[in-house]
Amino acid sequence: MNYIQIIKQYKSHIASSYKSITPEQTDFLPKGKLYVSKKYDGLFCCLILNSKDKKLLMPNGNIVSEDSAIAKEIKNIECDEEIIIAGELYTLKSDSERERCSDIHVALSQKKDDKIHFAAFDIIQGSNENLDVYSKKIDLISKILQGLNHLHPIKAEETDAVQVPNLFNNIVVKGHSEGLVIRDNRRIYKMKRNIDLDLVVLGYTLQQKDS
């Protein structure tokens, strides 16, 4: 199985389907049950489990060092089926300081790091169970990662659009997090204080002064 290709396709699909909103744009959220979780400022990665191998694999093909604490803990996972779990690598910080993407890059460069953690949020492939509802995915991830210290499922709150501003205040403002990830069983939203855009200037003209 070409794990890298599967991971890249999943990442591309998720990135293109995200809708970015601010706390003032809750009207964009669908009605009904929503799953709200903290947005980690980390690095996308996948946990690969099969009968022969257990590892954390990134889209560029790199793996987390086998000498790191998290890689050693992965060896203790009991899972009979082949499964790919998507998540975010991050470094554990104090309660008053949120994780930063730059910190995980530093941690990955160290062979025996003990600060790397993995927050799992989706199952990409491999489960024989019917996972048509998002809560079922989190339940299965929780079962697989039960009792581990460096790997865990995200904490997803079941709620509705009316309660999202309160969760944003508690998790992002008071909890010093980057933002929220909000989803139903069809679409995913990212809520941050501000929406950042990467723009490319394709062309411009300079005004010429009359001589």
Side-chain angles (χ1 to χ4, degrees):
M1 183 179 295
N2 190 334
Y3 291 123
I4 295 177
Q5 182 179 358
I6 293 171
I7 292 171
K8 285 183 176 180
Q9 288 176 348
Y10 172 85
K11 183 181 179 182
S12 176
H13 170 71
I14 291 297
S16 63
S17 62
Y18 266 127
K19 182 174 180 62
S20 295
I21 60 175
T22 65
E24 294 75 32
Q25 295 176 309
T26 54
D27 290 344
F28 285 97
L29 296 173
K31 296 180 180 179
K33 183 183 294 185
L34 298 173
Y35 303 93
V36 179
S37 59
K38 166 185 172 179
K39 184 183 184 304
Y40 287 86
D41 187 5
L43 188 65
F44 175 73
C45 186
C46 287
L47 174 62
I48 309 295
L49 300 173
N50 59 52
S51 59
K52 296 182 179 180
D53 200 11
K54 299 173 183 178
K55 60 187 177 184
L56 285 165
L57 179 65
M58 286 165 271
N60 61 4
N62 291 340
I63 62 172
V64 176
S65 171
E66 293 185 356
D67 293 323
S68 63
I70 189 172
K72 292 178 179 179
E73 191 172 53
I74 289 173
K75 304 302 180 184
N76 298 324
I77 297 176
E78 296 182 4
C79 185
D80 297 329
E81 61 180 310
E82 186 171 44
I83 191 167
I84 305 174
I85 298 176
E88 198 85 0
L89 289 177
Y90 71 97
T91 53
L92 191 63
K93 309 288 283 187
S94 64
D95 292 339
S96 61
E97 186 180 1
R98 75 172 174 87
E99 70 286 338
R100 300 281 181 176
C101 185
S102 56
D103 293 331
I104 189 62
H105 284 285
V106 173
L108 288 170
S109 67
Q110 300 175 8
K111 190 174 182 180
K112 295 185 177 182
D113 180 86
D114 61 355
K115 296 182 176 62
I116 298 175
H117 286 67
F118 179 74
F121 57 74
D122 201 2
I123 294 177
I124 298 178
Q125 188 169 309
S127 175
N128 294 322
E129 300 185 30
N130 182 10
L131 301 175
D132 55 333
V133 178
Y134 185 67
S135 59
K136 293 182 180 179
K137 293 184 178 182
I138 295 299
D139 288 344
L140 180 57
I141 292 171
S142 300
K143 181 180 178 181
I144 294 172
L145 303 183
Q146 184 177 5
L148 301 180
N149 295 317
H150 291 81
L151 302 95
H152 62 88
I154 59 166
K155 183 180 179 181
E157 299 269 359
E158 290 190 19
T159 186
D160 56 32
V162 175
Q163 299 301 321
V164 168
N166 290 333
L167 289 170
F168 186 89
N169 185 58
N170 291 333
I171 297 173
V172 180
V173 179
K174 295 180 180 179
H176 308 284
S177 297
E178 182 188 14
L180 296 180
V181 177
I182 307 163
R183 68 177 80 207
D184 58 10
N185 294 315
R186 298 180 59 189
R187 191 158 190 183
I188 307 174
Y189 301 80
K190 288 193 297 186
M191 179 178 285
K192 299 172 67 174
R193 300 189 194 201
N194 301 298
I195 297 176
D196 301 321
L197 298 175
D198 294 324
L199 303 177
V200 176
V201 178
L202 299 178
Y204 66 93
T205 59
L206 296 175
Q207 183 179 5
Q208 294 182 348
K209 294 182 179 180
D210 295 333
S211 57

